[in-house]
Amino acid sequence: MFRFLAVMTAASMVGLQGYTILFNNFAVETVHLEGRHVGIIQSIREVPGFLALLAVYVMMVVKEHRLSALSIALLGVGVALTGLFPSFTGVALTTLVMSFGFHYYETTNQSLTLQYFSTHLSPLVMGKLRSLAAISSIAAAALIWLLGWFLDYRGIFLAVGGIVFLFGLWGMFQDPTHESVPPQRLRMIVRRRYWLYYLLTFLSGARRQIFMVFSMFLLVKVFHFTMQEMTILFMVNNAINWFLNPLIGRAINRFGERTLCSVEYTGLILVFLTYAFTTSKGIAAGMYIVDSILFNFAVAIRTYFQKIADPRDIAPSSAVGFTINHVAAVFLPALGGYLWMIDYRIPFLAAAALGAASLFFAQFIRLPGQAQPFPAEAAPEAE
């Protein structure tokens, strides 16, 4: 299962980063999109994340590991087709296809990791997979730089998407499962005892939107980072995360989820306050790197859930959690953009407030005496 997830994760990052690196230049230079078009496409891109709970119903007819591979193949198809439809409608549709592939893989990736690895191993596995994702992102950037010497946008999209599709095709012929894993409840499940997991997941998703939408925009708009400077920052950031991510998994095992979450949220408060008030280009760039490192601490929320959950709830609850994580994506970018127009500091101050709320609720994290408190044969049925 680790080999399967490692290959699928690498393919996922090559596809996502390939699309992300190419998108803005392709949108401006070839499709001639305006800012409002790009904003609409970014909203469309988040819709599949919001609909991740539907993955539970897909699993009724498609096995979960096979859905992972199909998702990677779909991601590859979406990326490959992007260059063939240089219009607003075409890019919107191919973005939707690509995003369904990426988000459904992320949902099944989290679920399979929590199902197939023990509470001690899962933080280490998540750390290694995130480290692999970082190095795959660097590889995607290098691949696109190399292909750029020989191919146009259409050719690069086809090449990157084709590579990702082939990895997805490989995954369809793999069977990394074993029978000792408890069968999953293939229906939407929302339980009152998981309230803290849901709440921390929602707050994490809201902060993630501010980080993804406004931190890079701040560097370009306010601090005038060039494309070359942003590329260097991207490479340095992923190199650091490649090294640190395995250490985060070990830290969860050593210090526990509540400590890691408290460190993350305290750090994020300081990062967002610094974003709001710094006038230094170097400090702003440093905060972007720190922000990215702290973003990876979010695996502690997932491992906390693994330790409190009925093992048969992992797949449906992962899908529900992924949807909750994307609730803010529906409205927050547009709201944040409006607040940015009033004062660019407001979105970052709001993110600091979200960090403070997360820090408060993280203190309620309590783990049971046993890592798996609900044996499969005695799992409570109450919703």
Side-chain angles (χ1 to χ4, degrees):
M1 181 57 75
F2 179 77
R3 183 186 67 168
F4 175 80
L5 292 176
V7 173
M8 296 295 98
T9 297
S12 171
M13 282 300 105
V14 169
L16 177 67
Q17 293 302 327
Y19 174 90
T20 302
I21 292 169
L22 292 169
F23 174 78
N24 286 303
N25 291 88
F26 176 70
V28 172
E29 298 171 14
T30 302
V31 192
H32 307 296
L33 299 182
E34 300 294 337
R36 60 188 178 89
H37 298 122
V38 174
I40 293 171
I41 289 172
Q42 292 303 318
S43 295
I44 291 172
R45 179 176 168 176
E46 294 297 335
V47 169
F50 183 69
L51 298 177
L53 57 86
L54 299 180
V56 175
Y57 302 104
V58 179
M59 291 176 205
M60 291 181 177
V61 293
V62 180
K63 292 182 179 180
E64 192 170 4
H65 70 280
R66 194 140 291 140
L67 178 58
S68 282
L70 285 170
S71 298
I72 294 298
L74 189 63
L75 169 61
V77 169
V79 173
L81 293 179
T82 300
L84 300 179
F85 297 95
S87 66
F88 169 69
T89 302
V91 172
L93 290 175
T94 54
T95 295
L96 190 64
V97 172
M98 178 278 299
S99 186
F100 263 112
F102 174 75
H103 283 98
Y104 273 48
Y105 170 69
E106 284 297 297
T107 302
T108 55
N109 173 27
Q110 173 181 323
S111 171
L112 290 170
T113 302
L114 296 182
Q115 288 178 60
Y116 278 83
F117 299 95
S118 69
T119 54
H120 176 76
L121 284 177
S122 63
L124 304 179
V125 170
M126 288 184 183
K128 289 181 179 179
L129 290 178
R130 282 182 174 255
S131 179
L132 178 62
I135 202 68
S136 299
S137 297
I138 296 174
L143 175 64
I144 289 172
W145 179 83
L146 181 63
L147 292 175
W149 290 97
F150 308 101
L151 301 173
D152 59 8
Y153 284 118
R154 176 183 297 186
I156 299 174
F157 275 118
L158 278 171
V160 174
I163 292 170
V164 174
F165 175 79
L166 289 176
F167 277 114
L169 193 63
W170 171 85
M172 291 180 201
F173 292 94
Q174 307 302 308
D175 186 5
T177 60
H178 55 77
E179 296 180 355
S180 64
V181 174
Q184 298 297 293
R185 294 187 176 95
L186 297 181
R187 56 189 170 88
M188 189 176 72
I189 292 176
V190 179
R191 299 195 190 279
R192 186 166 23 181
R193 68 173 182 268
Y194 301 157
W195 71 271
L196 184 57
Y197 165 69
Y198 299 142
L199 180 58
L200 291 176
T201 297
F202 170 77
L203 292 172
S204 175
R207 293 191 314 274
R208 182 178 63 89
Q209 286 302 313
I210 295 176
F211 164 61
M212 293 182 64
V213 176
F214 296 108
S215 62
M216 294 184 70
F217 191 61
L218 174 80
L219 296 178
V220 175
K221 183 72 174 178
V222 177
F223 294 100
H224 309 294
F225 273 65
T226 65
M227 185 179 68
Q228 290 80 5
E229 288 172 328
M230 290 301 296
T231 302
I232 293 172
L233 182 62
F234 171 83
M235 301 285 279
V236 171
N237 181 50
N238 278 286
I240 292 173
N241 279 284
W242 168 68
F243 173 75
L244 288 181
N245 273 320
L247 302 181
I248 294 173
R250 297 175 194 171
I252 291 174
N253 280 338
R254 181 170 182 180
F255 302 107
E257 283 80 2
R258 182 170 59 181
T259 299
L260 264 290
C261 285
S262 297
V263 170
E264 176 191 1
Y265 304 145
T266 301
L268 286 172
I269 294 170
L270 297 175
V271 165
F272 284 119
L273 289 176
T274 304
Y275 276 144
F277 296 110
T278 187
T279 58
S280 168
K281 185 175 182 177
I283 291 177
M287 287 302 99
Y288 177 78
I289 293 174
V290 173
D291 204 349
S292 299
I293 294 171
L294 292 173
F295 177 73
N296 291 309
F297 281 47
V299 298
I301 301 176
R302 301 175 185 179
T303 59
Y304 161 68
F305 172 70
Q306 182 189 26
K307 292 173 181 176
I308 66 169
D310 179 335
R312 294 186 293 176
D313 288 348
I314 296 292
S317 295
S318 293
V320 170
F322 213 72
T323 292
I324 291 172
N325 187 264
H326 283 75
V327 167
V330 177
F331 65 90
L332 200 57
L335 175 61
Y338 174 76
L339 295 174
W340 177 288
M341 298 301 295
I342 299 173
D343 189 330
Y344 79 87
R345 297 176 178 86
I346 296 177
F348 299 113
L349 294 175
L354 290 171
S358 300
L359 179 61
F360 172 77
F361 285 109
Q363 308 315 306
F364 289 90
I365 291 177
R366 297 290 187 276
L367 297 177
Q370 294 181 338
Q372 299 288 357
F374 301 113
E377 67 273 14
E381 295 294 333
E383 296 296 326

